[in-house]
Amino acid sequence: MRLIVGYLATPSGKDGLVLGAQLARSLGAQLDICMVLPPDRTLPAKVPSEAGYDDILAARAHDWLAEAKASVPEDIQVEVHLSFHESFAQGLLDEVDRLSALAIVVGASGDGLLGRHAIGSVSTELLHSAHVPVALAPRGTRHSSATAIREVTCALGTRVGADVVLNTAVRTSELMQVPLRLVSLVALDPQNDLRDHRDTAESARERARNHAQDTLDIARAALPAEFPIEVIIADGSTVESAVRQLDWQDGDLVMAGSSRLAQPRKLFLGSTAAKMLRVLPVPMVVVPKHEFTQPEALS
């Protein structure tokens, strides 16, 4: 099992690297640190245009990768890779195919608040085109004291792909041997597939309770007896307020699904996941909308 970290020698790159190490340790996976450079770099005006500039840049990139590799704890198997592509995101996707990696890990863009997600151009492209799960590290993850994932939270609705997210969360928590927390978002989603136009606030919440219980039963049936698992019905006037009310701790990980607009086997960040990201203080994994083709977690 291999995980790719899209790396730059920046604070956000270090955020992604720390999350990648936590995931790799928890999953028993190899970490592949990948840096993508543009093939024909346009030189700044103050940089001499000399034939060896690209070689100098590549050499510096190898230094950055070596430093990144040295920062990864010794118990994690790690390799570094340098490639060239006009698009950093597409370069990472090409590396996924070349290395048969199961997920991509990236940090937030540099302009976000500490402990919050800020989606930059690379993350945006990945979240609308990737064919593997994408793990997003909020700004400041590099300061995390967690050495591994503590708990997996699965955010669930009733839209197409919810079963894939649940299956992914169940398999991941079992492989990591960490508790699973199921959070039902049905009551907060006015377009959920269980809603009836005659619903009152109480009947909608009753549907949410039934959905939560059904989800819990499915997860329990797939996990060993006595596996730590709980279900919570998200409560609040908005998705953002509900997420703020939940207890979050260092080392937690959230899994969410793609929008129903996603093409088969592709990601497309939905509105609910986007709302969660605005206030979520822990990493999120966005899962593509497709059925499993192999038993590994995060697949």
Side-chain angles (χ1 to χ4, degrees):
M1 183 185 299
R2 306 177 79 157
L3 302 176
I4 280 180
V5 172
Y7 184 74
L8 290 172
T10 62
S12 64
K14 294 177 182 178
D15 289 336
L17 185 57
V18 167
L19 174 59
Q22 292 172 348
L23 289 169
R25 179 180 285 109
S26 298
L27 292 167
Q30 173 176 313
L31 200 61
D32 289 279
I33 306 173
C34 298
M35 181 176 285
V36 181
L37 296 179
D40 296 310
R41 184 181 175 91
T42 301
L43 303 182
K46 295 183 179 180
V47 176
S49 179
E50 55 185 69
Y53 179 76
D54 287 343
D55 293 336
I56 294 172
L57 181 61
R60 189 68 187 100
H62 282 297
D63 290 341
W64 285 325
L65 286 171
E67 292 169 2
K69 182 177 182 179
S71 72
V72 176
E74 294 182 356
D75 63 310
I76 298 173
Q77 184 177 356
V78 59
E79 292 185 7
V80 296
H81 311 269
L82 177 62
S83 62
F84 295 84
H85 200 285
E86 293 179 357
S87 164
F88 191 97
Q90 187 57 54
L92 293 180
L93 294 175
D94 290 347
E95 289 294 85
V96 166
D97 294 336
R98 184 177 72 84
L99 300 172
S100 299
L102 295 182
I104 298 173
V105 185
V106 291
S109 66
D111 56 355
L113 296 174
L114 189 65
R116 292 293 184 267
H117 292 267
I119 305 302
S121 59
V122 173
S123 300
T124 297
E125 188 172 347
L126 289 173
L127 288 173
H128 290 84
S129 62
H131 56 287
V132 295
V134 173
L136 304 168
R139 186 167 179 255
T141 302
R142 60 190 179 279
H143 303 305
S144 171
S145 61
T147 59
I149 300 303
R150 187 195 73 90
E151 181 179 76
V152 172
T153 293
C154 181
L156 286 169
T158 62
R159 301 188 187 191
V160 174
D163 56 334
V164 175
V165 182
L166 178 59
N167 289 341
T168 304
V170 166
R171 297 181 185 200
T172 300
S173 60
E174 184 177 16
L175 183 58
M176 290 181 173
Q177 286 298 292
V178 299
L180 175 62
R181 178 173 66 166
L182 306 174
V183 176
S184 173
L185 301 174
V186 170
L188 301 177
D189 184 359
Q191 298 180 358
N192 79 73
D193 294 340
L194 299 180
R195 186 172 291 275
D196 188 289
H197 71 279
R198 297 165 295 182
D199 270 342
T200 63
E202 181 52 39
S203 64
R205 188 163 182 79
E206 179 62 27
R207 290 177 186 274
R209 283 193 288 265
N210 293 337
H211 169 260
Q213 185 59 53
D214 291 343
T215 300
L216 181 62
D217 292 342
I218 292 171
R220 280 180 171 162
L223 290 167
E226 308 303 322
F227 193 92
I229 180 174
E230 66 171 327
V231 64
I232 296 173
I233 299 176
D235 192 16
S237 57
T238 64
V239 170
E240 293 91 337
S241 64
V243 169
R244 288 192 185 98
Q245 292 179 37
L246 296 174
D247 177 50
W248 301 108
Q249 298 185 38
D250 192 16
D252 286 357
L253 181 73
V254 175
M255 288 191 164
S258 297
S259 164
R260 67 175 68 200
L261 297 176
Q263 297 298 312
R265 303 185 67 82
K266 295 288 185 179
L267 284 179
F268 193 96
L269 186 66
S271 60
T272 299
K275 292 174 182 177
M276 293 180 67
L277 278 174
R278 295 172 189 165
V279 296
L280 195 65
V282 300
M284 173 184 277
V285 176
V286 183
V287 180
K289 188 181 71 175
H290 68 81
E291 295 299 327
F292 293 96
T293 57
Q294 52 188 340
E296 290 90 353
L298 291 177
S299 62

